[in-house]
Amino acid sequence: MTDLEEARAFFGRDRYAMETTGIDILEVKEKYAKCILKVEDKHLNVADTVMGGAIFTLADFTFAVASNFKQGHAVSVNSTINFFRPAKGNLIAESEIVKDGRSIINYNINVRDDQEKLVATVNITGMRLQ
């Protein structure tokens, strides 16, 4: 089984992210993840743009995959999101580790649309559970 198959099987138990919202894992390796949200009508708000909560869920799930896959368990303790523009099409979130401490970790998650435009950035601080 490849790491991608293993990650999809393990995180498939995250019913909200993978079943309800339809997020999928595109790539995973140590301390890194790339996930996609194929935007559907259910993700749109009254202005017919992707709801901020859907964008945040994609980023939060990407953090979860990057920080938990084959590394034990970590939970987020603080998150900050900045929205820059409405999304055009599907969304891809990619993680970048900033700090990899013994108990505290920090990631930046960039969310881009089909046109590769930056839609949002999310900074997440997490804590490793010992």
Side-chain angles (χ1 to χ4, degrees), residues 41-102:
D41 283 344
K42 67 182 178 181
H43 301 114
L44 303 181
N45 60 23
V46 70
D48 280 332
T49 61
V50 180
M51 180 155 193
I55 295 168
F56 181 78
T57 298
L58 171 62
D60 185 58
F61 182 72
T62 303
F63 163 79
V65 175
S67 64
N68 286 286
F69 185 64
K70 292 189 175 182
Q71 298 176 69
H73 295 286
V75 295
S76 62
V77 294
N78 186 57
S79 303
T80 304
I81 188 165
N82 292 299
F83 297 101
F84 299 112
R85 66 175 33 90
K88 305 284 188 202
N90 297 325
L91 296 172
I92 293 178
E94 189 169 14
S95 69
E96 174 189 7
I97 192 158
V98 176
K99 175 167 176 48
D100 186 21
R102 190 171 38 101

Side-chain angles (χ1 to χ4, degrees), residues 30-33 63 66-67 71 94-101 104-109 124 128:
E30 185 177 350
K31 301 172 186 163
Y32 172 85
F63 163 79
S67 64
Q71 298 176 69
E94 189 169 14
S95 69
E96 174 189 7
I97 192 158
V98 176
K99 175 167 176 48
D100 186 21
I104 299 296
I105 56 175
N106 183 268
Y107 279 82
N108 284 328
I109 311 295
I124 303 176
R128 296 191 194 282

